[in-house]
Amino acid sequence: MKILYELNIVSITFRIFLSMVCGGFIGLERSRRSRPAGFRTYMLVCLSSALVMMTNQYIYINYEGSDPARLGAQVISGIGFLGAGTIIVTSRSQIKGLTSAAGLWASACLGLAIGTGFYYGAIIVAVAVFLIITLFKKVDIWLTSTNKMITVYTSFSSIEHFDKFI
């Protein structure tokens, strides 16, 4: 089992495979719901993050004086750009895509964990994220089902009528 925690061809292959499985597992649900980021996007984010951490580990082992957390920190901040691209504001002033953005961020974190060899944590979190995205959506709908929201659209022929309305 120790072979999976060292940086060698077996652990690299295992980490790549595990990151594809964990990222794809979460992305599968997003694809089924036709969300902007789906199966392949989540796999790529998780896989790439794992590669970043393996690269970090390689640099740390082979070159002295490097910071083993530096590249991972850049993934954490950089994934925000990809996540922001999944968030939209609809014509009805509703915000959509936040779960996809959060899921992409979680997928990047999973990749970082897998890339460092923190397998148990990554697998448990992958399952937890999947459960949150699938099962907790029903809980969220149930909790917010009693909320009442009314959308009122008004138009005014002149600004004076707006003052009277206020």
Side-chain angles (χ1 to χ4, degrees):
M1 190 70 167
K2 185 177 177 171
I3 195 168
L4 291 179
Y5 294 95
E6 297 168 351
L7 196 60
N8 53 56
I9 193 68
V10 174
S11 72
I12 291 169
T13 304
F14 180 75
R15 292 173 194 196
I16 288 170
F17 176 75
L18 185 60
S19 66
M20 290 173 65
V21 169
C22 288
F25 180 62
I26 297 168
L28 190 62
E29 191 280 336
R30 299 279 82 195
S31 282
R32 287 184 45 229
R33 296 190 184 275
S34 300
R35 297 300 184 209
F39 180 68
R40 294 180 304 149
T41 306
Y42 277 79
M43 284 178 76
L44 288 170
V45 166
C46 194
L47 172 69
S48 301
S49 299
L51 177 63
V52 165
M53 287 312 287
M54 287 185 286
T55 303
N56 220 21
Q57 187 177 3
Y58 178 83
I59 291 169
Y60 183 74
I61 291 168
N62 293 302
Y63 304 98
E64 293 189 21
S66 67
D67 178 7
R70 180 178 246 160
L71 292 177
Q74 298 306 312
V75 170
I76 296 295
S77 62
I79 196 66
F81 288 102
L82 185 60
T86 66
I87 300 172
I88 61 168
V89 179
T90 67
S91 60
R92 298 185 63 170
S93 298
Q94 293 178 323
I95 299 171
K96 295 200 176 256
L98 290 174
T99 303
S100 292
L104 284 171
W105 190 76
S107 184
C109 293
L110 284 172
L112 294 174
I114 292 166
T116 61
F118 186 39
Y119 306 123
Y120 294 124
I123 291 168
I124 292 167
V125 169
V127 170
V129 169
F130 183 78
L131 292 175
I132 288 167
I133 290 173
T134 56
L135 298 179
F136 283 80
K137 181 172 178 72
K138 293 174 184 155
V139 173
D140 189 28
I141 291 169
W142 177 74
L143 288 172
T144 59
S145 64
T146 58
N147 292 355
K148 303 288 187 244
M149 183 162 74
I150 300 172
T151 305
V152 177
Y153 294 97
T154 59
S155 62
F156 302 98
S157 57
S158 71
I159 194 72
E160 291 83 27
H161 293 107
F162 180 72
D163 288 341
K164 290 178 187 174
F165 177 78
I166 296 291

